[in-house]
Amino acid sequence: MSATGPRKLPIVVLISGSGSNLQAIIDAAQAGLPVEIRAVISNKAEAYGLERARQAGITTRVLNHKDYPDRESYDAALAAVIDDCGAELVVLAGFMRILSDGFVRRYEGRMLNIHPSLLPRHRGLDTHARALAAGDAVHGATVHFVSPELDAGPIILQARVPVQPNDSPESLAARVLREEHRIYPEAIRWFAEGRLKLDQGRALLDGKPISP
Ligand code: GAR
């Protein structure tokens, strides 16, 4: 610790939409989470999360995937922006794009995602409706390291949310989202404090494998 407090980990946050998870991270950073959000990057110019970032005085960048001929060239441009920021952690917070294997490998062990289900259940989209259709008694959210296979990287932290008899996809999503806002800053704190690592495909906390 220095006179100005612990070192802050430089991060970037990638979004596509509302950015409520981004807001939770901004709030946590203002309350002492040791990260510096160097930039918020969106693939959509209309993403409300960009406004949240501006309100917090954070640099924003829009990289519209429609401006690039293919996934590889988009991901190369994205990587250039991330590296330019000096980010040591890439935080995917509702970034609704499939990433190329090359991009994922480049940030292996330093890229996190949050997914609105209890992985490995319900990878992909429409997780709340699918949990209801499957009759799940418990649903939730997962923070995981990103690996090339979609929504399949090593699990770091999960929050369980009981399904209620009258739940709609929207009511369930709202309760899951509240839990997302709790667990994502917590997982980021572990990483920023050097407690969380990816080692040979396993997530380790304080040197011990995490078993969800
Ligand atoms: C969140 O529920 C997040 O888990 C989900 O998108 C939402 C973004 O909300 N991510 C995925 O589905 C990724 N596969 P937010 O923009 O308000 O944070």
Side-chain angles (χ1 to χ4, degrees), residues 14-23 49 52 92-97 113-117 123-128 140-142 144 150-151 173 176-177 180-181 184:
L14 274 54
I15 62 164
S16 299
S18 157
S20 70
N21 276 288
L22 164 68
Q23 188 67 58
R52 296 180 191 270
L92 306 182
F95 188 62
M96 304 306 276
R97 279 193 54 83
N113 183 42
I114 191 156
H115 182 78
S117 78
R123 294 173 182 163
L125 299 174
D126 301 324
T127 57
H128 310 298
T142 303
H144 63 95
L150 184 68
D151 298 331
V176 170
L177 205 50
E180 293 186 36
H181 300 163
Y184 215 0

Side-chain angles (χ1 to χ4, degrees), residues 11 13 21-29 33 35 37 91 184-185 188:
I11 71 172
V13 183
N21 276 288
L22 164 68
Q23 188 67 58
I25 298 163
I26 292 172
D27 293 348
L33 177 71
V35 299
I37 305 172
V91 175
Y184 215 0
I188 293 167

